[in-house]
Amino acid sequence: MINNKRLEHEMEEVSKFGALKPRGINRLAYSKEEKEARAYLKSLMLDLGMQIREDAVGNIFGRLEGREDLAPVASGSHLDSVPYGGCFDGTLGVFTALEAIRVIKEKGFSHKRPLELIIFSCEESSRFNMATMGSKVMTGKLDLDKIKSLKDKNGISIYEAAKDFGCDVDNLDSAKLKKDDIYAYVELHIEQGPVLENKQIPVGIVTGIAAPIRYELIIKGRADHSGATPMNMRKDALVTAAKIIVGIEDIASQKIWKTLVATVGFANAVPGVLNVIPGEVKLGIDIRDIDKNNLEKADELIIELIENLVKKDDLKYELKQLSKDYPIKLDEELVDLIEQEAIDLGVEYIKLPSGAGHDAMHMPEISTLTGMIFVPCKEGISHNIAEEVNMNDVFQATEVLSKTLLTLANK
Amino acid sequence: MINNKRLEHEMEEVSKFGALKPRGINRLAYSKEEKEARAYLKSLMLDLGMQIREDAVGNIFGRLEGREDLAPVASGSHLDSVPYGGCFDGTLGVFTALEAIRVIKEKGFSHKRPLELIIFSCEESSRFNMATMGSKVMTGKLDLDKIKSLKDKNGISIYEAAKDFGCDVDNLDSAKLKKDDIYAYVELHIEQGPVLENKQIPVGIVTGIAAPIRYELIIKGRADHSGATPMNMRKDALVTAAKIIVGIEDIASQKIWKTLVATVGFANAVPGVLNVIPGEVKLGIDIRDIDKNNLEKADELIIELIENLVKKDDLKYELKQLSKDYPIKLDEELVDLIEQEAIDLGVEYIKLPSGAGHDAMHMPEISTLTGMIFVPCKEGISHNIAEEVNMNDVFQATEVLSKTLLTLANK
């Protein structure tokens, strides 16, 4: 039903804005490249007869009115990328949503509710160290002070960048939406994990979005000469750090969890040279689950592990919680509806959690129903120029998305 | 017998060249600060009536002739420091040697052999990534090409720095000495380890100098999204690295060794951020012993450990040997002689190996007898502004050094 060639062509066209050679994109939030991509998209939205509105931080809403004046059914994602990112994270969700809505209009299917395409501003945390800025503003989580205080590495604040981008950012409050202002929001995204590809399934119906608890752990030993200090006189912070890394892996790998993951992303030793025993090591710890109880249980076990191992080795530590977000369970009613559409279309699917965060996390606060559809990405790789999808998976997932939006728009 | 006040005063004076506040020094090889320290030292050597000679890389030889034209008895160390280093590493060996020789002359003790004070150039590896440059040149281990190829972080080669320092570096070959050109070389140095301080012993007689085998190990896993990749689908390079760190610690801590140590100095994860599973980790490994057989045995065990753990986790690795030096056993005859002097003076001592490298490592190639005397340093800390000694230990060790030099000079 959808136009595969057109979708494929538009994905190729949009990949030119910020294109890297041989592949990938650099399309940071509020950059010239993002502006170009938005202009291209807006021209397609106008061709489709959408009414376009931009809010105070540049979130774009493209609307096709329905038969009745009801809360709209929306789909979309973001056009900004991480530095040296791939062509699909975010952008695929925007262009599949456009195609899904466009085909409804082209085929003349009647819809009671308006259909909206939403493009969120500044979803990636790369530029301003904060993710999902656009949906946070939409759900009233950020004020002007915060927007002015978060700066990129050149000292430019979100406020300045948005203003420079042409946004009426001083009217920040006007961007805030209320509960049920949107009837349903369904976002298509690449999985950013290996599960769908491993199982060779084109569609993942997302049951929940995991939230991370994050720590910075500093282990304090004593820097000594690595040649002159007998093994039994050492306070080697890296050895204790290594025991903690192995311990966290063991805890997270236990069979008692279903969806828990825990990762140590770095282990920075100071001074970090061959002839000195590491006196201090900084670990970055990320614990996630869509199950809030298990997340908290694992968090406790990991804190206990750190305490015990550091004490046993007679070292000291500082544990700083960087963030603690709660996981979001997506609406079962919508999961069931997407499932039924997939069955009707004969598209293979599984249900799975999202380990990565998305704008959809915030949408339950303003949207009656919120859901997500995943497509496999090659080797689970994302945030990388090597990000890749199989377009046949994308076509099938877009059919499911389009049918889902149409069904929702007649509820 | 030695002049404690004078030695203490001169150590204070020399610590002003490159002084940091509140303490420590920055006195890199061939720097303005080292030049000032050398000028101060040379003025004291001239006061003592020494003949001063500098070789092609700036190694200084200060000589007091003996009754006969024989190979000299020498002592000394280096004046360069690591960045943000302490006041005692190297410098203490220079000024205690000066005091030890000076007191022999002042007291009018007759000596058959000449007495020499040697100051080695560029002992620290900090500036040019190569340690003990001066003694390597003296023992013919470096040619002009090598001297020209080793550069500091500003791209200045040893060759250029030495030339700029006033050295006749084109005549490099003239700096080379032959076997037995020196009869005995005895170097006093801070221990750079905690053994003497822990035992509260002022003098360590060094039995051998450990040599490191060093590796750079790159563990190759796969960088995946840390939220979206289930535990059983990961190839986390940092987890495998952590097992290796713990395994190396276990091997080195076995009771079968006496003097073996092994250290992982850093574990640099790539990309090293919280939302990506480390795809690659680089470990720096340093294995040392004064026992060559045990060093090689431990080396084999560690290589086997790496192979097994990486294989078990289904990852890949690259192991690059950075250096493999052989440990030096110091002359037993000289160890016995130093021991006898300590006994005669009533100074407490123990025998111990040196885990750190020193210019003395190379001296057996040109010196008939080579020995070292250690003094305790506070908490074993060195290469650090917090480097500290107890001057009462230094005074006792200098007495032993002076008596040892006098005895050797009459052999």
Side-chain angles (χ1 to χ4, degrees):
Chain A
M1 198 170 87
I2 67 156
N3 188 331
N4 295 351
K5 283 234 167 78
R6 178 169 61 188
L7 174 56
E8 194 160 16
H9 171 73
E10 287 172 357
M11 281 304 294
E12 276 164 18
E13 286 300 307
V14 73
S15 296
K16 292 176 181 169
F17 305 112
L20 297 168
K21 285 193 176 159
R23 55 181 178 169
I25 53 166
N26 255 343
R27 202 156 67 210
L28 289 188
Y30 296 135
S31 64
K32 182 178 134 287
E33 293 76 19
E34 195 196 9
K35 191 157 222 162
E36 290 167 353
R38 287 161 62 100
Y40 171 62
L41 176 72
K42 283 192 271 187
S43 73
L44 299 174
M45 290 162 77
L46 290 173
D47 289 347
L48 183 54
M50 279 181 164
Q51 289 169 293
I52 299 179
R53 174 173 79 81
E54 290 186 49
D55 73 12
V57 293
N59 292 314
I60 300 174
F61 299 79
R63 186 170 170 119
L64 288 183
E65 292 298 344
R67 294 194 313 275
E68 296 181 23
D69 185 22
L70 294 168
V73 169
S75 182
S77 194
H78 60 97
L79 289 171
D80 65 322
S81 84
V82 302
Y84 302 93
C87 300
F88 304 95
D89 180 346
T91 302
L92 188 68
V94 173
F95 282 82
T96 52
L98 172 68
E99 180 60 27
I101 293 171
R102 187 164 45 194
V103 88
I104 292 172
K105 179 166 182 193
E106 285 177 349
K107 302 279 173 187
F109 294 124
S110 174
H111 49 98
K112 193 166 80 174
R113 292 179 181 274
L115 290 166
E116 279 194 0
L117 174 58
I118 305 181
I119 296 91
F120 293 93
S121 289
C122 197
E123 194 269 350
E124 299 292 356
S125 60
S126 312
R127 181 164 178 190
F128 300 104
N129 289 311
M130 189 182 54
T132 64
M133 194 277 289
S135 52
K136 278 179 180 150
V137 166
M138 235 181 251
T139 52
K141 295 192 183 79
L142 299 176
D143 58 19
L144 263 182
D145 285 349
K146 188 76 183 174
I147 293 282
K148 284 178 179 172
S149 71
L150 289 170
K151 293 176 180 174
D152 69 9
K153 63 181 180 187
N154 298 317
I156 299 168
S157 67
I158 297 181
Y159 177 85
E160 290 162 324
K163 199 143 196 169
D164 197 47
F165 204 64
C167 301
D168 182 22
V169 63
D170 286 306
N171 276 319
L172 193 70
D173 284 346
S174 66
K176 200 177 157 185
L177 299 183
K178 295 189 309 293
K179 178 72 188 154
D180 301 326
D181 269 355
I182 295 170
Y183 173 62
Y185 176 73
V186 186
E187 180 169 351
L188 183 150
H189 205 280
I190 55 169
E191 181 197 344
Q192 303 183 267
V195 178
L196 291 173
E197 195 198 36
N198 269 22
K199 296 187 191 288
Q200 297 191 285
I201 300 279
V203 163
I205 304 170
V206 182
T207 51
I209 303 175
I213 298 180
R214 287 180 164 179
Y215 292 105
E216 182 182 278
L217 169 64
I218 298 175
I219 302 163
K220 298 179 169 191
R222 202 181 55 221
D224 286 311
H225 195 292
S226 59
T229 315
M231 297 309 291
N232 62 357
M233 288 187 181
R234 295 174 169 222
K235 288 189 184 292
D236 187 329
L238 187 56
V239 169
T240 305
K243 293 176 190 169
I244 291 170
I245 294 167
V246 174
I248 290 174
E249 173 82 2
D250 287 346
I251 288 173
S253 301
Q254 286 176 33
K255 299 270 182 245
I256 50 170
W257 328 109
K258 277 186 191 143
T259 46
L260 186 98
V261 291
T263 309
V264 179
F266 55 84
N268 299 335
V270 178
V273 293
L274 274 169
N275 60 344
V276 182
I277 297 165
E280 197 171 293
V281 174
K282 192 188 282 181
L283 297 184
I285 305 168
D286 180 300
I287 316 165
R288 303 194 197 197
D289 204 340
I290 53 163
D291 182 316
K292 185 167 173 285
N293 287 338
N294 280 349
L295 179 64
E296 291 192 328
K297 212 184 290 175
D299 179 36
E300 272 172 35
L301 286 173
I302 286 171
I303 290 173
E304 201 181 300
L305 171 92
I306 293 166
E307 170 77 27
N308 289 344
L309 287 174
V310 172
K311 203 171 173 183
K312 201 173 156 199
D313 286 349
D314 196 22
L315 269 54
K316 292 192 165 63
Y317 74 100
E318 276 173 25
L319 186 66
K320 186 174 146 196
Q321 193 173 69
L322 300 176
S323 63
K324 182 170 183 169
D325 292 318
Y326 287 104
I328 300 293
K329 209 172 167 311
L330 293 175
D331 292 288
E332 269 177 50
E333 181 187 336
L334 186 45
V335 168
D336 292 345
L337 192 153
I338 300 170
E339 183 176 17
Q340 194 54 54
E341 303 298 350
I343 292 169
D344 290 351
L345 287 163
V347 172
E348 281 192 288
Y349 69 92
I350 56 165
K351 296 179 190 174
L352 84 177
S354 171
H358 297 283
D359 286 304
M361 287 190 302
H362 304 293
M363 297 307 279
E365 296 168 43
I366 53 177
S367 175
T368 313
L369 298 170
T370 302
M372 286 192 82
I373 294 173
F374 275 173
V375 292
C377 55
K378 196 179 164 201
E379 292 172 30
I381 294 168
S382 71
H383 288 187
N384 190 312
I385 58 163
E387 195 177 275
E388 197 55 79
V389 297
N390 180 333
M391 286 306 287
N392 285 324
D393 297 333
V394 172
F395 301 148
Q396 293 184 72
T398 308
E399 295 286 6
V400 174
L401 176 65
S402 189
K403 277 269 281 164
T404 300
L405 296 179
L406 182 58
T407 302
L408 286 165
N410 283 308
K411 285 208 174 231
Chain B
M1 199 171 82
I2 67 156
N3 186 330
N4 295 352
K5 284 236 166 76
R6 179 170 60 189
L7 174 56
E8 193 160 17
H9 171 73
E10 287 171 359
M11 281 303 295
E12 278 164 17
E13 286 299 308
V14 74
S15 297
K16 292 176 181 169
F17 305 112
L20 297 168
K21 285 188 175 165
R23 57 182 177 167
I25 53 167
N26 256 343
R27 203 156 66 211
L28 289 188
Y30 295 136
S31 65
K32 183 178 135 283
E33 292 76 18
E34 194 195 12
K35 191 156 221 163
E36 290 168 354
R38 286 161 63 100
Y40 170 63
L41 175 73
K42 283 193 270 188
S43 74
L44 298 175
M45 290 163 77
L46 289 173
D47 290 348
L48 183 55
M50 279 179 165
Q51 290 170 291
I52 299 179
R53 175 173 80 81
E54 290 187 47
D55 73 12
V57 291
N59 291 315
I60 300 173
F61 298 80
R63 185 171 171 116
L64 288 182
E65 291 298 345
R67 292 194 315 275
E68 296 180 22
D69 185 21
L70 294 168
V73 169
S75 182
S77 193
H78 60 97
L79 289 171
D80 65 319
S81 84
V82 301
Y84 301 92
C87 301
F88 303 97
D89 180 346
T91 303
L92 188 68
V94 173
F95 282 83
T96 52
L98 172 69
E99 180 61 26
I101 293 171
R102 185 163 49 193
V103 86
I104 292 171
K105 179 167 183 192
E106 284 178 348
K107 302 280 173 184
F109 294 124
S110 174
H111 50 97
K112 197 166 76 174
R113 293 179 180 273
L115 291 166
E116 279 194 359
L117 174 58
I118 305 181
I119 296 91
F120 294 92
S121 288
C122 196
E123 194 270 349
E124 300 291 357
S125 61
S126 313
R127 182 165 178 190
F128 300 103
N129 289 313
M130 188 182 55
T132 65
M133 194 276 290
S135 52
K136 278 179 180 150
V137 166
M138 236 182 249
T139 52
K141 292 191 185 82
L142 298 176
D143 59 18
L144 263 183
D145 284 350
K146 188 79 181 168
I147 293 283
K148 285 177 178 172
S149 70
L150 290 170
K151 293 177 179 174
D152 69 10
K153 64 180 179 188
N154 298 318
I156 299 168
S157 67
I158 298 182
Y159 177 85
E160 291 164 323
K163 200 144 195 169
D164 197 48
F165 205 64
C167 300
D168 182 20
V169 65
D170 286 306
N171 276 318
L172 194 70
D173 284 346
S174 67
K176 199 177 157 187
L177 300 182
K178 294 189 310 293
K179 177 72 189 157
D180 300 327
D181 269 356
I182 295 169
Y183 173 62
Y185 175 74
V186 187
E187 180 170 351
L188 182 149
H189 204 281
I190 55 169
E191 181 198 342
Q192 303 183 265
V195 178
L196 292 173
E197 195 199 35
N198 269 22
K199 297 187 189 287
Q200 297 193 286
I201 299 280
V203 163
I205 303 170
V206 182
T207 52
I209 302 174
I213 299 180
R214 286 178 166 181
Y215 293 104
E216 183 182 276
L217 170 64
I218 298 176
I219 301 164
K220 297 178 170 193
R222 201 179 56 219
D224 286 312
H225 196 292
S226 59
T229 315
M231 297 309 291
N232 63 356
M233 289 189 180
R234 295 174 170 223
K235 289 192 184 290
D236 187 330
L238 187 55
V239 169
T240 306
K243 293 176 190 168
I244 291 170
I245 293 167
V246 174
I248 290 175
E249 173 81 4
D250 287 346
I251 288 173
S253 301
Q254 286 175 33
K255 298 272 182 244
I256 50 169
W257 329 109
K258 277 184 189 144
T259 46
L260 185 99
V261 291
T263 309
V264 179
F266 55 83
N268 299 335
V270 178
V273 293
L274 272 169
N275 59 346
V276 183
I277 296 164
E280 195 171 294
V281 174
K282 192 187 284 181
L283 297 183
I285 304 169
D286 180 301
I287 317 165
R288 303 193 195 197
D289 203 340
I290 54 164
D291 183 316
K292 185 168 172 286
N293 288 337
N294 281 348
L295 179 64
E296 292 192 328
K297 212 182 292 177
D299 180 34
E300 274 172 35
L301 287 173
I302 286 171
I303 290 173
E304 201 180 299
L305 171 91
I306 293 166
E307 171 76 27
N308 289 343
L309 287 175
V310 172
K311 205 170 171 181
K312 202 174 155 195
D313 286 349
D314 196 22
L315 269 52
K316 292 195 165 59
Y317 73 101
E318 276 172 27
L319 186 66
K320 186 174 146 196
Q321 192 172 68
L322 300 176
S323 63
K324 181 170 183 170
D325 293 319
Y326 286 104
I328 300 293
K329 206 170 170 311
L330 293 174
D331 292 289
E332 269 178 49
E333 181 187 337
L334 186 45
V335 168
D336 292 346
L337 192 153
I338 299 169
E339 181 174 21
Q340 194 54 55
E341 302 299 351
I343 293 170
D344 290 351
L345 287 163
V347 172
E348 281 192 288
Y349 68 93
I350 57 165
K351 295 178 190 175
L352 84 175
S354 171
H358 297 283
D359 286 303
M361 288 190 301
H362 303 291
M363 297 307 279
E365 295 169 43
I366 52 176
S367 173
T368 313
L369 298 170
T370 302
M372 287 192 81
I373 295 172
F374 275 172
V375 293
C377 56
K378 195 179 165 198
E379 293 174 29
I381 294 167
S382 71
H383 288 186
N384 188 311
I385 59 163
E387 196 177 274
E388 198 53 80
V389 297
N390 179 333
M391 286 306 286
N392 285 323
D393 298 332
V394 172
F395 300 148
Q396 292 184 72
T398 308
E399 295 285 7
V400 174
L401 176 65
S402 188
K403 276 270 280 161
T404 300
L405 296 179
L406 182 58
T407 302
L408 287 164
N410 283 308
K411 285 213 173 224

